[in-house]
Structures are given as structure tokens and as C-alpha cells.
Amino acid sequence: MIDVSRRSLLKGALGTVALASLAGCGGAAGGSNGRLRVAFPTSGARESLDPHTSSLFVDQARTKALFDTLVGYADDMSVVPRLAESWEPDATGTRWLIRLRNARFHDNRPVTAEDVLYSYRRIADPATASPARQQFAAVDFAASRARSATEVELVLPAPNFEFPSAWGAPAAEIIPAGTTDFAAPVGSGPFRFVSFQPGRPAVFARFDGYWGGAPTPAELEFVPINEGSARVAALMSGQVHYVHDVSANSASLLQGDGRTTVLAAPHGTMQAVALKIDRPPFNDPRLQQAILSGVDRQGLLDVALSGHGQVGNDLFGKGLKYYPQDLAQRERDLDLARGLLRQAAADGLEFELMTSAADPYFESAATLIAQQLGEIGIRATPRIGPAETYFSDIKKSGVAAHTRTATLPLTTFMAQRMRGDAGANNYTGYRSPEFDALFTRAMSTADEAERARLLTDAQRLTRDNSGLLVWGFSDWNVAVSSAVSGIRAAPPNSLDWARFDHAVLV
Amino acid sequence: MRRLVLRPLAVAGSQLAAVAVTVFALTSALPGDTAVVILGEHATDEQVAALRAQLHLDVPLWERFVAWSAGVAHGDLGESLLTGVAVSDEIARGFATTTLLTVLALAVVIPLALAVGVATGLRPGSLLDRMLNGTIVLLNSIPEFALALLLVALFAVRLGWLPATAAGASGWSLAARPAVLVLPVAVLVSKQLCALARQVRIGVSEADGAEYAMHARLHGLTERTVVFRHVLPNALGPAVQQLARAVDGLLGGVVVVEAVFALPGMGSGFIDAVMARDLPAVQGYALVFAITTIALNLLADVVSRLLVPQREVVA
């Protein structure tokens, strides 16, 4: 995400002062004639409408308007039917039969089993470089087939009773079989393509043949505005109806403004510090524990997130399906932390804490954590790295780094970040045969209650041993004009996030 | 002739070469590369290595520089690593927007600086002089980014007189929506006005107090004739030099203004290219900016030299 204010043109304080004066009253009204205008940060010339390569939120939002997935995610990341009307696994969880609903593409062709197979093959192809590739890489496409125009059979090499989660992943949209060019794409989503150029506005129009019913807005326009304060100003002055990605500061200011409504999706983004436990000093479990006990999570929430969020309990996915709600909250315990440091003969431990402007909360959180750990004699030095390459940098180097993950199904997170074979995406270097065995058993368990129990056991393990210090969850803020109804607060990647087909312009 | 044309051209050529080498080296020194940026945070090392090879990022730096330079010699700026589009096309996409902003800003700032400079230079220390000076210094001391936010807060959000952003408009079509351009141009002008008006003011007050001006007045020439015939031409030499520098300043300001007002011009394109470590694109933008700057400074040199003989004749 590019953001000029992060290009150190100006730091927080001045921006806040200038923005505070934005929170005035009165102003311009935006007439729209049935065109809903939504503002997102964009990535300029490299944008495309290929749904299988979309990685930024703006790509996903455009993709959602034009295309559909087989299933969507509810707010807790459980799956709900979309293009798939129903599905059932065989007894082993390796063979899945999916029945499609009666839906049409924008060119009036029906959505068929062949389209599904073509789409998933393309996503699994390494040449496509799709962010959803991992979810479909294991599918045995030679054995998978279309049983009829509306029935698809997908075959897996190993049991996976959570496989439907993959069908709702970002970048897992269904495109017409044979599509190779995305200059003017055809999908089955609520809006049809009208015009688009990379880095410039995109205009889509209502698709009357949409299976979910024709959308309310006649037209939908995506307006690229990278600068956060400019997005807010555009909303307040009536130029746009919806702005994506509003900082906690702006959200506080907007709450006092009658022309707009801030929609805060709870448990939006996990905020964490990844301690690398495959190398000194954190290969000593006592030092991991000392850090986990030395951090004041409530203090981080109050200051770094300005209270816009929830405290974390060293686990991803608070509020999501399969999250163990009944685990006791980890509290700050300075005596315990000091004792552990003494035991490990590591008084006055020093390490660098990697941080960057890649996320708006990283830098202030790093400063606070350094202060908090200073109280038990640990010298953590925040080191600010370049935002553009930050997430690939922290995989390779350092011993502790701030990280974040947007909402996604819990089992997806565990498979991609915790399992021993997760490779570089396992930021902490956690390798636990015990966890892997539990997780594999859970995935091959047909009974959902039993699966939940196994997943809880697996999460207990990671909470204490994986080196992931989850200190909080930052709210995901968007803001809408008071002249619009029918848009609700929803976590990123969920079905109702950036969903505009029910928006009503008053 | 040789002194007036050939030497400056040789100097300009070596300046361009220096810019090309420096920018190439600096961009290469940035952490990360295009392959990492394109593939994002979930890429495996193998994917990154494969893409590096595909983009020829595994070729030694000096070889890439030589290849790029050979292309430039033939007028070919190469292709963007990120999009595969010709760099010249990428730059052209933002050209209209940025040119419009810069030309409009100059069209406002030049007459304004002349008016302010003459009005204050003829009566140094007067109330008008002090007021204008204070205003200009104040405008000059606020960072562009903050000034832009304040203007938006006041004129767009609170009063609703002007649009807060371009909201998707770009290129020559902006000319049809002048309201969009008012605030961005105002920000650009406010930053350059100070130095330019001050330069005019100094020149005017010096020339106005010079012997030939006194002489002209004693001979009963009207004040208007004295100012326009004798004072201004002599005062403008240094101001022309300052104008060339003002255009450099405008190019810097354009980067900020394009961001705050969501105008997709060359400034935004340049920033995007740097963020993406898109070496050919960064080089292309840097060359275009450097050529502009060098050409303007050359032109300013020539113009102020042409003004010099006048001074000799009159004095």
C-alpha cells in the first residue's frame, strides 16, 4: 500500500492537526444519479482485472463486483453458499461433489462445471502466480471431473474436511472457461465491466441477470485515492460515498461528523510480533515466555490502536470459527518474566525489533513494546525497515518482527503459517511434529465437534510454543456517506466486506 | 558562438550522464527488488528467483546499465519491469496532468511575482512591502503537504466551494474542470512565489536606486517609463535565473500535490516506480526531469546574458 504520508513528508502530529480542521460541519452534497462512487488506495500501473492474481484490497473489491466464488465467508469465516448451491464429501474427505446453482455470466452463458475446473486449474498453475495457489495446489485435476453441467467432482490426495474454505478464498473466483484476456472481463458477479485502465478509475454497470437479484446502484465507480487524508476529505466533501481503509485517527475525527458514518469491523487484523524460535536468543523457550509475560497488551491497545480494537491472547482469529474462546487471557506478569530471564542467565537481554510503516500501527507498537520490556531490563531496539519489501525482509533476517494478518479462516492460517511445511510463510520458524499430527488429524475428521476439539488442542500448543506474540486485533475501518444505506461493517475478506450490490443512495 | 552554445551543451550532456549513473546506482542500492515487490509477501524463494531470471535482474548491474544506456542512445527508454509497457508510454500517461499543473502554476506565479516584486521594490519598507513580505514568508514556511490539507479542509470540506480531490479525473480533460485545479495550483504557487518575488524586489530596488534611474527621472521621464524602460530590464536578469530554479521547485511540489489531490501525473508515476524498484521506469522519469531542469537553466543563462548588454549600455 502506497501512502504519501508514510513517505515521511509529514509525520502524525501535523497530519492530525490538519485533519482535525477537516472535521468541520456543513459542506457540499454529492449528487450521483445512481452511480455509487467508492475510493480505495491503488497500486498504479500494475493493476489488472485478472481475479486470480489480485492481491491488494482494491483488486479484491473490483473482483468481487465482477465475479463470484463458489462460497463466501460469513463474519466468523465459516462458509456460506454462493455459486455452489450445496456440496458433500465422501466418507474419506478426499472426494467432493459440488452442485452449482443456476447462474449466468454477463454474456448470458450459464456458469458450468467446466468453468469451475478451468478456474481452479488456472489458480493451481504456478505460472499464474495466484495468491490462492496454495489452496488448490494439492487438487488432483487428472481425477477431478465434471459429472454434469452443474455438478463438479474435485479429488484430493489426502483427506481435508475443511476444503470448502478454499473455495471462498480471495483470488479463487470463477471465470468463463478459456478466458486468457482480462482487458474487458466477463464474470458472473453483480456488476458488468464498462471501463478501466490500470491506476485509473474503474466503471462497472448493474448486471440485471445476476443470480442474487439485480443490484441497487445503476453504476459503480472505483476512484483511486492513495493518500489517506485525501480519501477522508473526498468523502466529507461529497465526492465519493465510501472510503476504504480509514486510520484510527481519522475514524475518531469522523465520528464527530454528521455527514459520515464510520463502520468498524471488529477483529479485523491480527497485530503480532513474530519471535524467531529457530535461532538464538528465542530458541530458549524461557526467553519466549519472558517476552510473552513482559508485554502489556491492554496498554498497547489503548495507545497504539487508540482503543480501536481488542486485546490478543497469542492466537490468531479471535471471534472466528474454531477459536478457543474459553482459554484464559494471558496477563502481564513482570515477576514471572524477571524470574525466567534470571533462570536463562539472560538479564539485560538485547535484541532488535523489526518494524516499518507497512502497517499504520507497527511503529508506535514497537516503541511501546520496547518501553514495556525495558521495565524488566530487556533492551529491545526498534529498527525501521522499508515498507515496500518489509514482509519479505522479515522472513529472511532478524530475530523479532512486527507482523499482521487480515481475517481469513482459522484452518487456512494454521495450514499456511504454523505447519512445519509452511516454509518461509511460517515467520517464527515453528516446527512441531505434535502440532502437525493434531492438525492433520483434525482435517481428516468428518465430525465437526471432534474437529473443533482437535483444533483447540492444536491452538493450545501454538499459543505457548510457536513464538507468535499476538498482542491485539485492530479494527478495520471504512467510512460511508450518510447519503448511503445498505453497507454494513464486515471484516476484510468476508462476503459482506466491500460489497456494494445492496447499497442504496438516499 | 562556441562559448554560447557548444560549451553549455557539453556541460548539459555530462550533467545528464551523471544523473543517469547516480539514479541507477541509488535505485539499485535500495533494499529489495522488483521481483519481491511484484510477488508480494507470500512468495517462495524459488518464485522470486524465477522471476528475477525472467526480468534479467540476475544480470550484473553494470551490464544492465550498459544495455539501458545503449537503448537511450537510440531514443529507447526500455520497458517497465512491472508492467512490460514501454517506459515512454508510462511517462506519457502522466505527462498531460503534470504539464497542465506546472504550466498553470507558472502562468500564475510569474505575473504575480512581478507585480509583488515591483510594488514592494519601488517602496521598500512601506506598509505594503511589510504586509506582502509577511504573507509570502508565512506561505513559504508551511510545508506543501500541510498547506494542501489546510486548504482542502477550509475550501472543500468546510465551505464546499472547491473539489477536495480530482476524484478520478486526469490528463487534458482536467482543463474542462478548472475548479479541480484551483487548490493544487494555489499550493504550487505559494511555495515558489516567495523566492521569485524577493528576487524581483531586490533587483527593482537596486535598479530603482541606481544612477541611471535617477538620471532618467531628472530628465523628466514619466515614472511609468522609468520603471518599464530602465528599471525592470536591469532587474530581471537575476529573476530569470530564479525562475529556472522555481521550475525545479515546482517539479518537486508536483509530487506532493499529485498525491494529496489524487492527480495521477508524472510525480505519482515516479513515486510508484521507486516504490516498485522499477529501475527502467525510475531512470526514464529521472531523465525527463533532469532534461527539463537542465534545459530551463540553459535557457535562463542565455536570457539573462541577453539582458546584460542592456545594463552596460544604460550604465
Side-chain angles (χ1 to χ4, degrees):
Chain A
M1 294 279 162
I2 295 171
D3 176 339
V4 165
S5 64
R6 292 180 207 162
R7 290 176 203 150
S8 68
L9 283 166
L10 191 78
K11 284 290 176 200
L14 190 49
T16 308
V17 170
L19 209 56
S21 53
L22 291 178
C25 295
S32 76
N33 307 322
R35 176 182 282 199
L36 184 76
R37 309 185 88 216
V38 298
F40 280 76
T42 73
S43 64
R46 68 182 153 130
E47 299 187 322
S48 95
L49 292 178
D50 178 348
H52 297 162
T53 59
S54 68
S55 56
L56 291 183
F57 280 130
V58 65
D59 299 323
Q60 289 170 23
R62 277 192 301 246
T63 286
K64 180 176 281 195
L66 294 174
F67 301 92
D68 259 317
T69 43
L70 289 192
V71 301
Y73 296 145
D75 286 5
D76 70 351
M77 295 286 126
S78 55
V79 294
V80 290
R82 300 295 291 163
L83 283 177
E85 203 162 39
S86 64
W87 54 88
E88 64 210 32
D90 66 354
T92 63
T94 56
R95 195 172 286 267
W96 289 77
L97 178 66
I98 305 162
R99 290 184 197 83
L100 301 177
R101 76 170 64 245
N102 182 6
R104 293 192 171 272
F105 287 113
H106 303 149
D107 59 4
N108 210 26
R109 279 185 297 173
V111 179
T112 67
E114 290 300 340
D115 301 315
V116 174
L117 285 169
Y118 175 83
S119 302
Y120 287 173
R121 277 199 183 98
R122 186 170 181 267
I123 293 165
D125 181 354
T128 308
S130 173
R133 190 179 88 85
Q134 262 183 296
Q135 315 250 28
F136 295 93
V139 176
D140 180 353
F141 285 106
S144 303
R145 63 196 178 106
R147 287 212 336 208
S148 74
T150 57
E151 286 181 313
V152 196
E153 194 174 79
L154 295 175
V155 180
L156 299 173
N160 179 2
F161 282 96
E162 286 292 322
F163 186 39
S165 283
W167 315 336
E173 279 75 14
I174 305 304
I175 58 177
T179 308
T180 51
D181 178 54
F182 294 91
V186 169
S188 64
F191 294 93
R192 285 181 294 109
F193 172 85
V194 176
S195 67
F196 172 68
Q197 273 193 336
R200 300 292 153 89
V203 178
F204 303 153
R206 174 192 291 150
F207 174 44
D208 288 322
Y210 184 52
W211 64 264
T216 339
E219 283 182 320
L220 173 64
E221 181 180 8
F222 285 83
V223 181
I225 306 180
N226 280 336
E227 177 53 38
S229 54
R231 280 198 300 281
V232 171
L235 177 74
M236 293 174 88
S237 64
Q239 289 191 307
V240 295
H241 302 104
Y242 171 103
V243 292
H244 183 256
D245 194 2
V246 175
S247 70
N249 274 345
S250 304
S252 303
L253 292 165
L254 282 171
Q255 271 153 355
D257 186 90
R259 292 169 293 178
T260 58
T261 312
V262 175
L263 302 175
H267 42 76
T269 306
M270 174 188 80
Q271 294 285 345
V273 174
L275 305 172
K276 289 205 189 302
I277 59 174
D278 56 357
R279 64 196 70 175
F282 299 115
N283 55 357
D284 183 337
R286 291 169 301 189
L287 294 184
Q288 286 174 48
Q289 286 298 323
I291 304 286
L292 294 181
S293 310
V295 169
D296 173 8
R297 292 166 176 73
Q298 187 63 46
L300 281 160
L301 168 64
D302 293 342
V303 179
L305 302 184
S306 321
H308 293 274
Q310 300 173 46
V311 291
N313 198 17
D314 299 333
L315 283 174
F316 170 84
K318 194 170 190 172
L320 304 187
K321 187 180 181 184
Y322 297 130
Y323 181 84
Q325 309 282 6
D326 48 0
L327 284 187
Q329 171 65 42
R330 199 188 303 277
E331 301 291 350
R332 192 179 198 197
D333 186 340
L334 293 183
D335 293 337
L336 174 65
R338 286 195 189 98
L340 287 163
L341 283 174
R342 257 198 311 277
Q343 270 182 39
D347 277 321
L349 171 72
E350 292 186 25
F351 67 93
E352 278 192 335
L353 176 57
M354 315 244 299
T355 183
S356 84
D359 182 278
Y361 307 116
F362 281 0
E363 292 186 34
S364 55
T367 309
L368 272 167
I369 286 176
Q371 280 176 8
Q372 293 175 359
L373 294 178
E375 291 174 44
I376 49 173
I378 294 177
R379 294 185 46 196
T381 313
R383 186 164 145 230
I384 300 174
E388 310 84 276
T389 55
Y390 177 75
F391 290 103
S392 63
D393 294 344
I394 61 172
K395 286 179 196 175
K396 293 183 178 62
S397 55
V399 296
H402 278 268
T403 176
R404 60 158 166 75
T405 303
T407 328
L408 58 127
L410 237 163
T411 49
T412 306
F413 180 86
M414 291 162 91
Q416 294 186 350
R417 301 293 178 84
M418 294 284 175
R419 258 208 316 226
D421 59 4
N425 285 326
N426 182 331
Y427 286 161
T428 63
Y430 178 57
R431 301 278 181 280
S432 163
E434 197 186 348
F435 169 84
D436 290 359
L438 268 172
F439 185 74
T440 306
R441 250 182 72 201
M443 292 302 95
S444 51
T445 302
D447 178 61
E448 193 168 295
E450 176 63 11
R451 196 154 67 233
R453 200 185 57 74
L454 290 164
L455 287 171
T456 298
D457 290 348
Q459 289 176 86
R460 264 182 225 280
L461 278 181
T462 63
R463 177 169 173 265
D464 293 329
N465 310 311
S466 74
L468 196 65
L469 187 174
V470 181
W471 59 262
F473 291 88
S474 50
D475 285 352
W476 185 266
N477 299 310
V478 303
V480 293
S481 152
S482 309
V484 175
S485 63
I487 295 177
R488 59 175 285 263
N493 300 331
S494 70
L495 176 60
D496 283 346
W497 167 83
R499 188 178 173 189
F500 303 116
D501 53 329
H502 296 320
V504 179
L505 292 160
V506 180
Chain B
M1 188 66 204
R2 181 177 298 180
R3 201 171 59 89
L4 262 180
V5 177
L6 288 182
R7 208 172 48 183
L9 277 182
V11 170
S14 54
Q15 280 174 326
L16 270 185
V19 166
V21 174
T22 311
V23 172
F24 203 91
L26 284 176
T27 314
S28 312
L30 287 171
D33 63 25
T34 316
V36 169
V37 173
I38 290 176
L39 292 170
E41 52 186 278
H42 301 304
T44 61
D45 288 351
E46 298 78 54
Q47 283 173 310
V48 173
L51 187 61
R52 272 202 186 112
Q54 201 186 318
L55 298 172
H56 307 301
L57 293 176
D58 49 355
V59 175
L61 205 58
W62 66 270
E63 279 185 41
R64 277 189 276 152
F65 184 73
V66 168
W68 176 83
S69 309
V72 172
H74 295 100
D76 175 13
L77 289 177
E79 287 175 359
S80 159
L81 292 177
L82 207 55
T83 58
V85 176
V87 168
S88 48
D89 293 351
E90 293 258 324
I91 295 175
R93 267 165 55 104
F95 179 79
T97 305
T98 302
T99 306
L100 207 56
L101 278 174
T102 327
V103 169
L104 272 176
L106 283 174
V108 174
V109 82
I110 292 171
L112 202 58
L114 277 177
V116 170
V118 171
T120 54
L122 291 177
R123 287 172 195 64
S126 66
L127 180 66
L128 179 75
D129 181 23
R130 291 204 304 270
M131 270 172 49
L132 285 173
N133 245 333
T135 311
I136 287 174
V137 168
L138 179 73
L139 282 178
N140 191 50
S141 61
I142 306 177
E144 277 149 332
F145 189 76
L147 181 65
L149 283 180
L150 285 168
L151 291 181
V152 167
L154 183 61
F155 292 105
V157 175
R158 186 167 293 225
L159 299 170
W161 294 350
L162 292 162
T165 68
S170 62
W172 300 121
S173 65
L174 282 167
R177 301 182 51 198
V180 167
L181 294 167
V182 174
L183 292 180
V185 168
V187 173
L188 289 174
V189 165
S190 70
K191 290 304 285 185
Q192 301 312 320
L193 186 58
C194 182
L196 205 52
R198 187 172 286 173
Q199 200 63 58
V200 174
R201 177 182 174 277
I202 293 167
V204 167
S205 66
E206 275 178 6
D208 193 47
E211 231 166 279
Y212 57 84
M214 306 275 194
H215 202 72
R217 285 199 179 91
L218 286 174
H219 277 79
L221 293 180
T222 61
E223 185 64 13
R224 167 182 282 222
T225 313
V226 173
V227 170
F228 280 92
R229 279 282 172 76
H230 300 281
V231 173
L232 266 185
N234 288 296
L236 286 187
V240 169
Q241 296 276 18
Q242 181 61 45
L243 182 62
R245 281 195 287 279
V247 177
D248 300 352
L250 282 180
L251 287 178
V254 151
V255 173
V256 177
V257 161
E258 284 179 7
V260 178
F261 294 97
L263 288 153
M266 286 162 70
S268 314
F270 184 51
I271 295 284
D272 288 349
V274 172
M275 293 301 230
R277 311 286 187 262
D278 191 347
L279 206 50
V282 172
Q283 290 287 92
Y285 280 108
L287 269 193
V288 171
F289 291 144
I291 289 171
T292 312
T293 302
I294 291 167
L296 282 166
N297 279 300
L298 273 178
L299 194 67
D301 275 350
V302 172
V303 172
S304 56
R305 260 194 217 141
L306 291 176
L307 289 166
V308 169
Q310 275 221 325
R311 196 176 303 185
E312 288 160 2
V313 170
V314 178

